[in-house]
């Protein structure tokens, strides 16, 4: 894990994640008691599968496919797909959400 950044009540834990042999990062954000994972351009499921008690995980279609292949148990309340095009394969893995343009999602603590 890279150096933690704190900014205006948000704590950001950047994590190096593999992507086509170039430097890439995903992030775990902690804010007002919520834990959010934002995937970079990685399709390596190992980092996400190693994080516990997430309120939401934002993942790319390629990461969704990798999670589906591993049949991994993602410890999250919401699994949200982003960073995709209309032609990208979008597996219906673990009830993932695919927000429409302009749609708002409310993420709240349980």
């Amino acid at each position: 894990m890279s150096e933690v950044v704190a900014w205006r009540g948000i704590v950001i834990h950047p994590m190096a994640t593999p992507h086509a042999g170039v430097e890439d990062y995903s992030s775990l954000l902690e804010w007002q008691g919520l834990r959010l994972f934002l995937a970079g351009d990685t399709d390596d499921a190992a980092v996400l599968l190693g994080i516990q008690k997430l309120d939401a995980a934002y993942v790319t279609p390629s990461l969704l496919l990798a999670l589906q292949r591993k049949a991994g148990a993602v410890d999250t309340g919401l699994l949200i797909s982003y960073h995709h095009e209309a032609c990208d394969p979008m597996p219906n893995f673990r009830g993932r959400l695919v927000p429409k343009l302009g749609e708002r999602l409310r993420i709240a603590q349980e």
Side-chain angles (χ1 to χ4, degrees), residues 2-83:
S2 297
E3 187 174 328
V4 174
V5 176
W7 180 76
R8 295 188 180 187
I10 302 169
V11 179
I12 305 165
H13 304 267
M15 295 166 270
T17 47
H19 174 64
V22 298
E23 186 174 28
D24 184 65
Y25 288 86
S26 296
S27 298
L28 170 64
L29 280 70
E30 296 178 303
W31 176 67
Q32 295 187 355
L34 295 171
R35 292 170 46 87
L36 312 170
F37 177 81
L38 302 174
D41 274 342
T42 188
D43 62 359
D44 185 340
V47 171
L48 178 54
L49 292 172
I51 301 173
Q52 303 296 309
K53 298 180 183 174
L54 290 169
D55 294 288
Y58 288 81
V59 298
T60 61
S62 60
L63 185 51
L64 265 177
L65 289 169
L67 289 165
Q68 186 177 44
R69 281 192 299 272
K70 287 188 172 271
V74 181
D75 188 6
T76 185
L78 293 171
L79 189 60
I80 303 163
S81 179
Y82 79 123
H83 191 61

